[in-house]
DNA sequence: TTCTCCAGTCAGTGCGAGCA
DNA sequence: TGCTCGCACTGACTGGAGAA
């Protein structure tokens, strides 16, 4: 078992302070003799030393740990976000604890409480509903950065994507492609999961605004809403559509990658795959889309921007400098087989 | 017997003080 | 000046003492 500072000091006949200064690399700064420094180093190399983070955070009133609560890791977007944010935190010498709430407000509330009890310095949160930001801010002393979902208000630091604009651009791009290949009256089917979330509702607003501007009639647009953005709901929604005998659309747009994957699974099981001429589209991006033969257009979020802004906001909140700000990342369309 | 209060413990940190 | 030490403090928890 590694020694404590007290044990090292005891056995070397030095004070706790002297040992601590050497271990913190401040021997020169506090004029500890080279001989004493060498003794401490030799001793810890032989017997080991592990800092007690509980005691340290108790005294410093900070834990050098941050927390991130996302809906689920099986969603590629959130998994990617978590990974990059963890790397960014580690680069700054901070530890990031990651938890999933599965969009359950009760679970999210419990996780917020647990992270507060573990004395995290701040929380990155994808809120499960409109009440969560206020609740989390109260528990985490306002050290809160909201990600992906903006329920309004100017009290919190927020980093989101311009979902409305990207929805608009996506619909226009898809329509232009259909017209280009000679399909002048394409019909659209929108699969939307959890449209109560601002990110999803804004995507739908953007998509529908573009379809309005393009003059699509009611018969050219359908919308299927499911409670969540997950694989099974996408699979079930597409299976029901096929089983009901309704015609498949020329253009299928899904509000997230998991929903898209589920829809593709149902098409594969029932029809052997998506019809070759069906134009596919989804929000968020995944490299596996490269392997589809259909025309596919995804919407890639600017991860680098989101991570940097979120981290910078958190650093400001912790240091007590500046006011929380809202940052809006742009999105980029990624067309495949659409030349 | 039950309850409340208070001192001590844990392992660190920051800062002022003391000694040669 | 160079080097080292000691104290106060952090929050949750424990155990002993004394009161009801």
């Amino acid at each position: 078992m590694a020694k404590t500072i007290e044990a090292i000091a005891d056995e070397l006949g030095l004070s706790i302070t002297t040992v601590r200064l050497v271990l913190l690399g401040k021997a020169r700064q506090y004029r500890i003799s080279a001989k004493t420094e060498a003794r401490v180093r030799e001793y810890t190399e032989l017997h080991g030393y592990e800092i007690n983070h509980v005691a340290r955070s108790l005294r410093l009133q900070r834990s050098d740990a941050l927390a991130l609560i996302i809906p689920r890791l099986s969603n590629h977007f959130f998994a990617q976000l978590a990974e990059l944010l963890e790397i960014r935190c580690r680069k700054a010498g901070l530890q990031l604890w990651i938890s999933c709430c599965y969009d359950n407000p009760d679970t999210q509330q419990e996780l917020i409480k647990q992270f507060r009890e573990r004395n995290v310095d701040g929380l990155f949160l994808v809120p499960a509903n409109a009440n969560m930001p206020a609740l989390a801010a109260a528990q985490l002393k306002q050290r809160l950065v909201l990600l992906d979902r903006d329920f309004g208000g100017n009290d919190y630091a927020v980093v989101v994507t311009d979902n409305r604009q990207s929805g608009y651009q996506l619909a226009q791009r898809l329509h232009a492609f259909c017209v280009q290949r000679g399909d002048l009256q394409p019909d659209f089917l929108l699969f939307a999961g959890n449209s109560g979330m601002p990110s999803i509702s804004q995507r739908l607003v953007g998509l529908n605004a573009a379809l309005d501007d393009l003059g699509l009639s009611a018969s050219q647009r359908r919308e299927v809403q499911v409670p969540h953005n997950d694989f099974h709901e996408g699979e079930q929604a597409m299976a029901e559509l096929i089983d009901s005998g309704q015609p498949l659309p020329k253009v299928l747009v899904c509000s997230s990658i998991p929903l898209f994957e589920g829809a593709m699974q149902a098409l594969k099981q029932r029809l052997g795959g998506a019809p070759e001429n069906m134009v596919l589209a989804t929000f968020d991006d995944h490299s596996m889309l490269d392997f589809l033969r259909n025309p596919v257009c995804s919407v890639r979020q600017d991860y680098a921007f989101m991570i940097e802004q979120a981290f910078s906001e958190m650093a400001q909140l912790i240091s007590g400098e500046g006011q929380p700000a809202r940052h809006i990342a742009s999105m980029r369309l990624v067309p495949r087989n659409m030349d």
Side-chain angles (χ1 to χ4, degrees), chain A residues 64-66 82-98 124 307 311:
Chain A
D64 288 340
L66 300 171
E83 183 175 309
L84 294 172
L85 191 57
E86 196 277 330
I87 290 170
R88 180 63 184 88
C89 290
R90 189 145 37 87
K91 196 173 153 193
L94 302 170
Q95 189 170 33
L96 182 69
W97 294 349
I98 301 166
F124 298 101
I307 296 302
F311 186 83

mmCIF file with all atom_site columns, all heavy atoms in Angstrom, chain A residues 64-66 82-98 124 307 311:
data_model
loop_
_atom_site.group_PDB
_atom_site.id
_atom_site.type_symbol
_atom_site.label_atom_id
_atom_site.label_alt_id
_atom_site.label_comp_id
_atom_site.label_asym_id
_atom_site.label_entity_id
_atom_site.label_seq_id
_atom_site.pdbx_PDB_ins_code
_atom_site.Cartn_x
_atom_site.Cartn_y
_atom_site.Cartn_z
_atom_site.occupancy
_atom_site.B_iso_or_equiv
_atom_site.pdbx_formal_charge
_atom_site.auth_seq_id
_atom_site.auth_comp_id
_atom_site.auth_asym_id
_atom_site.auth_atom_id
_atom_site.pdbx_PDB_model_num
ATOM 1   N N   . ASP A 1 64  ? -11.427 18.915 -9.128  1.00 0.00 ? 64  ASP A N   1
ATOM 2   C CA  . ASP A 1 64  ? -10.820 18.771 -10.459 1.00 0.00 ? 64  ASP A CA  1
ATOM 3   C C   . ASP A 1 64  ? -11.552 17.713 -11.275 1.00 0.00 ? 64  ASP A C   1
ATOM 4   O O   . ASP A 1 64  ? -10.964 17.044 -12.118 1.00 0.00 ? 64  ASP A O   1
ATOM 5   C CB  . ASP A 1 64  ? -9.321  18.431 -10.371 1.00 0.00 ? 64  ASP A CB  1
ATOM 6   C CG  . ASP A 1 64  ? -8.512  19.635 -9.914  1.00 0.00 ? 64  ASP A CG  1
ATOM 7   O OD1 . ASP A 1 64  ? -9.018  20.766 -10.032 1.00 0.00 ? 64  ASP A OD1 1
ATOM 8   O OD2 . ASP A 1 64  ? -7.386  19.452 -9.442  1.00 0.00 ? 64  ASP A OD2 1
ATOM 9   N N   . ALA A 1 65  ? -12.829 17.529 -10.967 1.00 0.00 ? 65  ALA A N   1
ATOM 10  C CA  . ALA A 1 65  ? -13.649 16.577 -11.721 1.00 0.00 ? 65  ALA A CA  1
ATOM 11  C C   . ALA A 1 65  ? -14.903 17.291 -12.226 1.00 0.00 ? 65  ALA A C   1
ATOM 12  O O   . ALA A 1 65  ? -15.498 18.096 -11.511 1.00 0.00 ? 65  ALA A O   1
ATOM 13  C CB  . ALA A 1 65  ? -14.047 15.402 -10.828 1.00 0.00 ? 65  ALA A CB  1
ATOM 14  N N   . LEU A 1 66  ? -15.253 17.001 -13.467 1.00 0.00 ? 66  LEU A N   1
ATOM 15  C CA  . LEU A 1 66  ? -16.478 17.545 -14.056 1.00 0.00 ? 66  LEU A CA  1
ATOM 16  C C   . LEU A 1 66  ? -17.376 16.370 -14.412 1.00 0.00 ? 66  LEU A C   1
ATOM 17  O O   . LEU A 1 66  ? -16.916 15.235 -14.489 1.00 0.00 ? 66  LEU A O   1
ATOM 18  C CB  . LEU A 1 66  ? -16.150 18.354 -15.325 1.00 0.00 ? 66  LEU A CB  1
ATOM 19  C CG  . LEU A 1 66  ? -15.213 19.547 -15.116 1.00 0.00 ? 66  LEU A CG  1
ATOM 20  C CD1 . LEU A 1 66  ? -14.783 20.127 -16.460 1.00 0.00 ? 66  LEU A CD1 1
ATOM 21  C CD2 . LEU A 1 66  ? -15.893 20.621 -14.279 1.00 0.00 ? 66  LEU A CD2 1
ATOM 22  N N   . ALA A 1 82  ? -19.310 12.909 -25.938 1.00 0.00 ? 82  ALA A N   1
ATOM 23  C CA  . ALA A 1 82  ? -18.737 12.504 -24.652 1.00 0.00 ? 82  ALA A CA  1
ATOM 24  C C   . ALA A 1 82  ? -17.251 12.212 -24.801 1.00 0.00 ? 82  ALA A C   1
ATOM 25  O O   . ALA A 1 82  ? -16.435 12.633 -23.974 1.00 0.00 ? 82  ALA A O   1
ATOM 26  C CB  . ALA A 1 82  ? -19.473 11.273 -24.119 1.00 0.00 ? 82  ALA A CB  1
ATOM 27  N N   . GLU A 1 83  ? -16.907 11.504 -25.860 1.00 0.00 ? 83  GLU A N   1
ATOM 28  C CA  . GLU A 1 83  ? -15.504 11.132 -26.061 1.00 0.00 ? 83  GLU A CA  1
ATOM 29  C C   . GLU A 1 83  ? -14.627 12.371 -26.232 1.00 0.00 ? 83  GLU A C   1
ATOM 30  O O   . GLU A 1 83  ? -13.575 12.501 -25.598 1.00 0.00 ? 83  GLU A O   1
ATOM 31  C CB  . GLU A 1 83  ? -15.392 10.229 -27.292 1.00 0.00 ? 83  GLU A CB  1
ATOM 32  C CG  . GLU A 1 83  ? -13.983 9.743  -27.543 1.00 0.00 ? 83  GLU A CG  1
ATOM 33  C CD  . GLU A 1 83  ? -13.925 8.762  -28.697 1.00 0.00 ? 83  GLU A CD  1
ATOM 34  O OE1 . GLU A 1 83  ? -14.708 7.800  -28.699 1.00 0.00 ? 83  GLU A OE1 1
ATOM 35  O OE2 . GLU A 1 83  ? -13.107 8.968  -29.607 1.00 0.00 ? 83  GLU A OE2 1
ATOM 36  N N   . LEU A 1 84  ? -15.077 13.285 -27.075 1.00 0.00 ? 84  LEU A N   1
ATOM 37  C CA  . LEU A 1 84  ? -14.259 14.477 -27.343 1.00 0.00 ? 84  LEU A CA  1
ATOM 38  C C   . LEU A 1 84  ? -14.183 15.398 -26.127 1.00 0.00 ? 84  LEU A C   1
ATOM 39  O O   . LEU A 1 84  ? -13.147 16.011 -25.874 1.00 0.00 ? 84  LEU A O   1
ATOM 40  C CB  . LEU A 1 84  ? -14.822 15.227 -28.551 1.00 0.00 ? 84  LEU A CB  1
ATOM 41  C CG  . LEU A 1 84  ? -14.714 14.448 -29.863 1.00 0.00 ? 84  LEU A CG  1
ATOM 42  C CD1 . LEU A 1 84  ? -15.467 15.144 -30.975 1.00 0.00 ? 84  LEU A CD1 1
ATOM 43  C CD2 . LEU A 1 84  ? -13.246 14.268 -30.262 1.00 0.00 ? 84  LEU A CD2 1
ATOM 44  N N   . LEU A 1 85  ? -15.270 15.482 -25.395 1.00 0.00 ? 85  LEU A N   1
ATOM 45  C CA  . LEU A 1 85  ? -15.258 16.330 -24.198 1.00 0.00 ? 85  LEU A CA  1
ATOM 46  C C   . LEU A 1 85  ? -14.345 15.732 -23.127 1.00 0.00 ? 85  LEU A C   1
ATOM 47  O O   . LEU A 1 85  ? -13.636 16.444 -22.420 1.00 0.00 ? 85  LEU A O   1
ATOM 48  C CB  . LEU A 1 85  ? -16.687 16.488 -23.657 1.00 0.00 ? 85  LEU A CB  1
ATOM 49  C CG  . LEU A 1 85  ? -16.882 17.546 -22.567 1.00 0.00 ? 85  LEU A CG  1
ATOM 50  C CD1 . LEU A 1 85  ? -16.417 18.922 -23.035 1.00 0.00 ? 85  LEU A CD1 1
ATOM 51  C CD2 . LEU A 1 85  ? -18.344 17.623 -22.151 1.00 0.00 ? 85  LEU A CD2 1
ATOM 52  N N   . GLU A 1 86  ? -14.347 14.408 -23.037 1.00 0.00 ? 86  GLU A N   1
ATOM 53  C CA  . GLU A 1 86  ? -13.467 13.732 -22.068 1.00 0.00 ? 86  GLU A CA  1
ATOM 54  C C   . GLU A 1 86  ? -12.008 14.004 -22.402 1.00 0.00 ? 86  GLU A C   1
ATOM 55  O O   . GLU A 1 86  ? -11.195 14.296 -21.526 1.00 0.00 ? 86  GLU A O   1
ATOM 56  C CB  . GLU A 1 86  ? -13.748 12.223 -22.087 1.00 0.00 ? 86  GLU A CB  1
ATOM 57  C CG  . GLU A 1 86  ? -13.194 11.464 -20.890 1.00 0.00 ? 86  GLU A CG  1
ATOM 58  C CD  . GLU A 1 86  ? -11.729 11.103 -21.045 1.00 0.00 ? 86  GLU A CD  1
ATOM 59  O OE1 . GLU A 1 86  ? -11.274 10.906 -22.183 1.00 0.00 ? 86  GLU A OE1 1
ATOM 60  O OE2 . GLU A 1 86  ? -11.037 11.039 -20.039 1.00 0.00 ? 86  GLU A OE2 1
ATOM 61  N N   . ILE A 1 87  ? -11.686 13.953 -23.704 1.00 0.00 ? 87  ILE A N   1
ATOM 62  C CA  . ILE A 1 87  ? -10.302 14.216 -24.133 1.00 0.00 ? 87  ILE A CA  1
ATOM 63  C C   . ILE A 1 87  ? -9.916  15.655 -23.794 1.00 0.00 ? 87  ILE A C   1
ATOM 64  O O   . ILE A 1 87  ? -8.828  15.937 -23.298 1.00 0.00 ? 87  ILE A O   1
ATOM 65  C CB  . ILE A 1 87  ? -10.157 13.948 -25.647 1.00 0.00 ? 87  ILE A CB  1
ATOM 66  C CG1 . ILE A 1 87  ? -10.267 12.445 -25.911 1.00 0.00 ? 87  ILE A CG1 1
ATOM 67  C CG2 . ILE A 1 87  ? -8.840  14.498 -26.172 1.00 0.00 ? 87  ILE A CG2 1
ATOM 68  C CD1 . ILE A 1 87  ? -10.386 12.074 -27.375 1.00 0.00 ? 87  ILE A CD1 1
ATOM 69  N N   . ARG A 1 88  ? -10.866 16.574 -24.044 1.00 0.00 ? 88  ARG A N   1
ATOM 70  C CA  . ARG A 1 88  ? -10.594 17.998 -23.789 1.00 0.00 ? 88  ARG A CA  1
ATOM 71  C C   . ARG A 1 88  ? -10.360 18.254 -22.296 1.00 0.00 ? 88  ARG A C   1
ATOM 72  O O   . ARG A 1 88  ? -9.466  19.009 -21.911 1.00 0.00 ? 88  ARG A O   1
ATOM 73  C CB  . ARG A 1 88  ? -11.770 18.855 -24.294 1.00 0.00 ? 88  ARG A CB  1
ATOM 74  C CG  . ARG A 1 88  ? -11.590 20.355 -24.087 1.00 0.00 ? 88  ARG A CG  1
ATOM 75  C CD  . ARG A 1 88  ? -10.377 20.848 -24.896 1.00 0.00 ? 88  ARG A CD  1
ATOM 76  N NE  . ARG A 1 88  ? -10.087 22.238 -24.673 1.00 0.00 ? 88  ARG A NE  1
ATOM 77  C CZ  . ARG A 1 88  ? -9.297  22.686 -23.690 1.00 0.00 ? 88  ARG A CZ  1
ATOM 78  N NH1 . ARG A 1 88  ? -8.748  21.836 -22.846 1.00 0.00 ? 88  ARG A NH1 1
ATOM 79  N NH2 . ARG A 1 88  ? -9.058  23.973 -23.563 1.00 0.00 ? 88  ARG A NH2 1
ATOM 80  N N   . CYS A 1 89  ? -11.161 17.622 -21.465 1.00 0.00 ? 89  CYS A N   1
ATOM 81  C CA  . CYS A 1 89  ? -11.027 17.802 -20.017 1.00 0.00 ? 89  CYS A CA  1
ATOM 82  C C   . CYS A 1 89  ? -9.700  17.225 -19.533 1.00 0.00 ? 89  CYS A C   1
ATOM 83  O O   . CYS A 1 89  ? -8.993  17.832 -18.739 1.00 0.00 ? 89  CYS A O   1
ATOM 84  C CB  . CYS A 1 89  ? -12.194 17.145 -19.282 1.00 0.00 ? 89  CYS A CB  1
ATOM 85  S SG  . CYS A 1 89  ? -13.752 18.004 -19.533 1.00 0.00 ? 89  CYS A SG  1
ATOM 86  N N   . ARG A 1 90  ? -9.393  16.041 -20.032 1.00 0.00 ? 90  ARG A N   1
ATOM 87  C CA  . ARG A 1 90  ? -8.136  15.382 -19.609 1.00 0.00 ? 90  ARG A CA  1
ATOM 88  C C   . ARG A 1 90  ? -6.933  16.234 -19.984 1.00 0.00 ? 90  ARG A C   1
ATOM 89  O O   . ARG A 1 90  ? -5.966  16.343 -19.233 1.00 0.00 ? 90  ARG A O   1
ATOM 90  C CB  . ARG A 1 90  ? -8.049  13.994 -20.233 1.00 0.00 ? 90  ARG A CB  1
ATOM 91  C CG  . ARG A 1 90  ? -6.915  13.166 -19.697 1.00 0.00 ? 90  ARG A CG  1
ATOM 92  C CD  . ARG A 1 90  ? -7.272  11.695 -19.608 1.00 0.00 ? 90  ARG A CD  1
ATOM 93  N NE  . ARG A 1 90  ? -8.110  11.242 -20.693 1.00 0.00 ? 90  ARG A NE  1
ATOM 94  C CZ  . ARG A 1 90  ? -7.645  10.805 -21.853 1.00 0.00 ? 90  ARG A CZ  1
ATOM 95  N NH1 . ARG A 1 90  ? -6.360  10.800 -22.080 1.00 0.00 ? 90  ARG A NH1 1
ATOM 96  N NH2 . ARG A 1 90  ? -8.470  10.381 -22.786 1.00 0.00 ? 90  ARG A NH2 1
ATOM 97  N N   . LYS A 1 91  ? -7.014  16.848 -21.159 1.00 0.00 ? 91  LYS A N   1
ATOM 98  C CA  . LYS A 1 91  ? -5.929  17.725 -21.626 1.00 0.00 ? 91  LYS A CA  1
ATOM 99  C C   . LYS A 1 91  ? -5.716  18.880 -20.634 1.00 0.00 ? 91  LYS A C   1
ATOM 100 O O   . LYS A 1 91  ? -4.595  19.364 -20.470 1.00 0.00 ? 91  LYS A O   1
ATOM 101 C CB  . LYS A 1 91  ? -6.310  18.276 -23.005 1.00 0.00 ? 91  LYS A CB  1
ATOM 102 C CG  . LYS A 1 91  ? -5.186  18.874 -23.788 1.00 0.00 ? 91  LYS A CG  1
ATOM 103 C CD  . LYS A 1 91  ? -5.696  19.215 -25.177 1.00 0.00 ? 91  LYS A CD  1
ATOM 104 C CE  . LYS A 1 91  ? -4.908  20.365 -25.782 1.00 0.00 ? 91  LYS A CE  1
ATOM 105 N NZ  . LYS A 1 91  ? -5.572  20.893 -26.970 1.00 0.00 ? 91  LYS A NZ  1
ATOM 106 N N   . ALA A 1 92  ? -6.800  19.294 -19.991 1.00 0.00 ? 92  ALA A N   1
ATOM 107 C CA  . ALA A 1 92  ? -6.715  20.406 -19.031 1.00 0.00 ? 92  ALA A CA  1
ATOM 108 C C   . ALA A 1 92  ? -6.458  19.905 -17.608 1.00 0.00 ? 92  ALA A C   1
ATOM 109 O O   . ALA A 1 92  ? -6.527  20.682 -16.658 1.00 0.00 ? 92  ALA A O   1
ATOM 110 C CB  . ALA A 1 92  ? -8.013  21.205 -19.074 1.00 0.00 ? 92  ALA A CB  1
ATOM 111 N N   . GLY A 1 93  ? -6.165  18.602 -17.471 1.00 0.00 ? 93  GLY A N   1
ATOM 112 C CA  . GLY A 1 93  ? -5.880  18.063 -16.145 1.00 0.00 ? 93  GLY A CA  1
ATOM 113 C C   . GLY A 1 93  ? -7.123  17.790 -15.318 1.00 0.00 ? 93  GLY A C   1
ATOM 114 O O   . GLY A 1 93  ? -7.037  17.645 -14.099 1.00 0.00 ? 93  GLY A O   1
ATOM 115 N N   . LEU A 1 94  ? -8.271  17.719 -15.969 1.00 0.00 ? 94  LEU A N   1
ATOM 116 C CA  . LEU A 1 94  ? -9.522  17.473 -15.245 1.00 0.00 ? 94  LEU A CA  1
ATOM 117 C C   . LEU A 1 94  ? -10.084 16.111 -15.632 1.00 0.00 ? 94  LEU A C   1
ATOM 118 O O   . LEU A 1 94  ? -9.871  15.635 -16.741 1.00 0.00 ? 94  LEU A O   1
ATOM 119 C CB  . LEU A 1 94  ? -10.562 18.549 -15.591 1.00 0.00 ? 94  LEU A CB  1
ATOM 120 C CG  . LEU A 1 94  ? -10.126 19.990 -15.296 1.00 0.00 ? 94  LEU A CG  1
ATOM 121 C CD1 . LEU A 1 94  ? -11.104 20.969 -15.903 1.00 0.00 ? 94  LEU A CD1 1
ATOM 122 C CD2 . LEU A 1 94  ? -10.013 20.196 -13.799 1.00 0.00 ? 94  LEU A CD2 1
ATOM 123 N N   . GLN A 1 95  ? -10.819 15.532 -14.695 1.00 0.00 ? 95  GLN A N   1
ATOM 124 C CA  . GLN A 1 95  ? -11.444 14.247 -14.988 1.00 0.00 ? 95  GLN A CA  1
ATOM 125 C C   . GLN A 1 95  ? -12.917 14.475 -15.313 1.00 0.00 ? 95  GLN A C   1
ATOM 126 O O   . GLN A 1 95  ? -13.577 15.291 -14.671 1.00 0.00 ? 95  GLN A O   1
ATOM 127 C CB  . GLN A 1 95  ? -11.323 13.339 -13.770 1.00 0.00 ? 95  GLN A CB  1
ATOM 128 C CG  . GLN A 1 95  ? -11.758 11.922 -14.055 1.00 0.00 ? 95  GLN A CG  1
ATOM 129 C CD  . GLN A 1 95  ? -11.418 10.981 -12.920 1.00 0.00 ? 95  GLN A CD  1
ATOM 130 O OE1 . GLN A 1 95  ? -11.431 11.367 -11.767 1.00 0.00 ? 95  GLN A OE1 1
ATOM 131 N NE2 . GLN A 1 95  ? -11.099 9.754  -13.244 1.00 0.00 ? 95  GLN A NE2 1
ATOM 132 N N   . LEU A 1 96  ? -13.405 13.764 -16.322 1.00 0.00 ? 96  LEU A N   1
ATOM 133 C CA  . LEU A 1 96  ? -14.819 13.903 -16.689 1.00 0.00 ? 96  LEU A CA  1
ATOM 134 C C   . LEU A 1 96  ? -15.551 12.602 -16.372 1.00 0.00 ? 96  LEU A C   1
ATOM 135 O O   . LEU A 1 96  ? -15.197 11.535 -16.856 1.00 0.00 ? 96  LEU A O   1
ATOM 136 C CB  . LEU A 1 96  ? -14.959 14.214 -18.179 1.00 0.00 ? 96  LEU A CB  1
ATOM 137 C CG  . LEU A 1 96  ? -16.405 14.415 -18.653 1.00 0.00 ? 96  LEU A CG  1
ATOM 138 C CD1 . LEU A 1 96  ? -16.990 15.703 -18.076 1.00 0.00 ? 96  LEU A CD1 1
ATOM 139 C CD2 . LEU A 1 96  ? -16.490 14.440 -20.170 1.00 0.00 ? 96  LEU A CD2 1
ATOM 140 N N   . TRP A 1 97  ? -16.595 12.708 -15.551 1.00 0.00 ? 97  TRP A N   1
ATOM 141 C CA  . TRP A 1 97  ? -17.435 11.556 -15.244 1.00 0.00 ? 97  TRP A CA  1
ATOM 142 C C   . TRP A 1 97  ? -18.651 11.598 -16.153 1.00 0.00 ? 97  TRP A C   1
ATOM 143 O O   . TRP A 1 97  ? -19.321 12.626 -16.259 1.00 0.00 ? 97  TRP A O   1
ATOM 144 C CB  . TRP A 1 97  ? -17.876 11.579 -13.780 1.00 0.00 ? 97  TRP A CB  1
ATOM 145 C CG  . TRP A 1 97  ? -16.748 11.408 -12.817 1.00 0.00 ? 97  TRP A CG  1
ATOM 146 C CD1 . TRP A 1 97  ? -15.468 11.040 -13.116 1.00 0.00 ? 97  TRP A CD1 1
ATOM 147 C CD2 . TRP A 1 97  ? -16.777 11.621 -11.411 1.00 0.00 ? 97  TRP A CD2 1
ATOM 148 N NE1 . TRP A 1 97  ? -14.708 10.994 -11.975 1.00 0.00 ? 97  TRP A NE1 1
ATOM 149 C CE2 . TRP A 1 97  ? -15.478 11.353 -10.914 1.00 0.00 ? 97  TRP A CE2 1
ATOM 150 C CE3 . TRP A 1 97  ? -17.762 12.004 -10.509 1.00 0.00 ? 97  TRP A CE3 1
ATOM 151 C CZ2 . TRP A 1 97  ? -15.149 11.449 -9.573  1.00 0.00 ? 97  TRP A CZ2 1
ATOM 152 C CZ3 . TRP A 1 97  ? -17.433 12.099 -9.163  1.00 0.00 ? 97  TRP A CZ3 1
ATOM 153 C CH2 . TRP A 1 97  ? -16.148 11.823 -8.706  1.00 0.00 ? 97  TRP A CH2 1
ATOM 154 N N   . ILE A 1 98  ? -18.939 10.475 -16.813 1.00 0.00 ? 98  ILE A N   1
ATOM 155 C CA  . ILE A 1 98  ? -20.016 10.437 -17.802 1.00 0.00 ? 98  ILE A CA  1
ATOM 156 C C   . ILE A 1 98  ? -21.128 9.508  -17.325 1.00 0.00 ? 98  ILE A C   1
ATOM 157 O O   . ILE A 1 98  ? -20.858 8.378  -16.907 1.00 0.00 ? 98  ILE A O   1
ATOM 158 C CB  . ILE A 1 98  ? -19.470 9.950  -19.158 1.00 0.00 ? 98  ILE A CB  1
ATOM 159 C CG1 . ILE A 1 98  ? -18.354 10.891 -19.641 1.00 0.00 ? 98  ILE A CG1 1
ATOM 160 C CG2 . ILE A 1 98  ? -20.588 9.867  -20.195 1.00 0.00 ? 98  ILE A CG2 1
ATOM 161 C CD1 . ILE A 1 98  ? -17.525 10.343 -20.780 1.00 0.00 ? 98  ILE A CD1 1
ATOM 162 N N   . PHE A 1 124 ? -21.832 19.403 -17.281 1.00 0.00 ? 124 PHE A N   1
ATOM 163 C CA  . PHE A 1 124 ? -22.304 19.547 -18.657 1.00 0.00 ? 124 PHE A CA  1
ATOM 164 C C   . PHE A 1 124 ? -23.578 18.712 -18.749 1.00 0.00 ? 124 PHE A C   1
ATOM 165 O O   . PHE A 1 124 ? -23.563 17.524 -18.397 1.00 0.00 ? 124 PHE A O   1
ATOM 166 C CB  . PHE A 1 124 ? -21.282 19.011 -19.659 1.00 0.00 ? 124 PHE A CB  1
ATOM 167 C CG  . PHE A 1 124 ? -19.966 19.729 -19.637 1.00 0.00 ? 124 PHE A CG  1
ATOM 168 C CD1 . PHE A 1 124 ? -18.871 19.174 -18.992 1.00 0.00 ? 124 PHE A CD1 1
ATOM 169 C CD2 . PHE A 1 124 ? -19.809 20.958 -20.261 1.00 0.00 ? 124 PHE A CD2 1
ATOM 170 C CE1 . PHE A 1 124 ? -17.643 19.830 -18.970 1.00 0.00 ? 124 PHE A CE1 1
ATOM 171 C CE2 . PHE A 1 124 ? -18.588 21.620 -20.248 1.00 0.00 ? 124 PHE A CE2 1
ATOM 172 C CZ  . PHE A 1 124 ? -17.507 21.050 -19.603 1.00 0.00 ? 124 PHE A CZ  1
ATOM 173 N N   . ILE A 1 307 ? -17.346 21.513 -28.448 1.00 0.00 ? 307 ILE A N   1
ATOM 174 C CA  . ILE A 1 307 ? -16.513 21.116 -27.304 1.00 0.00 ? 307 ILE A CA  1
ATOM 175 C C   . ILE A 1 307 ? -15.727 22.308 -26.771 1.00 0.00 ? 307 ILE A C   1
ATOM 176 O O   . ILE A 1 307 ? -15.658 22.553 -25.564 1.00 0.00 ? 307 ILE A O   1
ATOM 177 C CB  . ILE A 1 307 ? -15.530 19.991 -27.730 1.00 0.00 ? 307 ILE A CB  1
ATOM 178 C CG1 . ILE A 1 307 ? -16.303 18.731 -28.122 1.00 0.00 ? 307 ILE A CG1 1
ATOM 179 C CG2 . ILE A 1 307 ? -14.529 19.696 -26.639 1.00 0.00 ? 307 ILE A CG2 1
ATOM 180 C CD1 . ILE A 1 307 ? -17.193 18.153 -27.062 1.00 0.00 ? 307 ILE A CD1 1
ATOM 181 N N   . PHE A 1 311 ? -16.291 23.856 -23.101 1.00 0.00 ? 311 PHE A N   1
ATOM 182 C CA  . PHE A 1 311 ? -15.216 23.806 -22.114 1.00 0.00 ? 311 PHE A CA  1
ATOM 183 C C   . PHE A 1 311 ? -14.837 25.211 -21.656 1.00 0.00 ? 311 PHE A C   1
ATOM 184 O O   . PHE A 1 311 ? -14.613 25.468 -20.470 1.00 0.00 ? 311 PHE A O   1
ATOM 185 C CB  . PHE A 1 311 ? -13.988 23.087 -22.677 1.00 0.00 ? 311 PHE A CB  1
ATOM 186 C CG  . PHE A 1 311 ? -12.929 22.883 -21.647 1.00 0.00 ? 311 PHE A CG  1
ATOM 187 C CD1 . PHE A 1 311 ? -13.005 21.802 -20.777 1.00 0.00 ? 311 PHE A CD1 1
ATOM 188 C CD2 . PHE A 1 311 ? -11.902 23.793 -21.486 1.00 0.00 ? 311 PHE A CD2 1
ATOM 189 C CE1 . PHE A 1 311 ? -12.057 21.626 -19.791 1.00 0.00 ? 311 PHE A CE1 1
ATOM 190 C CE2 . PHE A 1 311 ? -10.952 23.630 -20.494 1.00 0.00 ? 311 PHE A CE2 1
ATOM 191 C CZ  . PHE A 1 311 ? -11.028 22.540 -19.653 1.00 0.00 ? 311 PHE A CZ  1
#
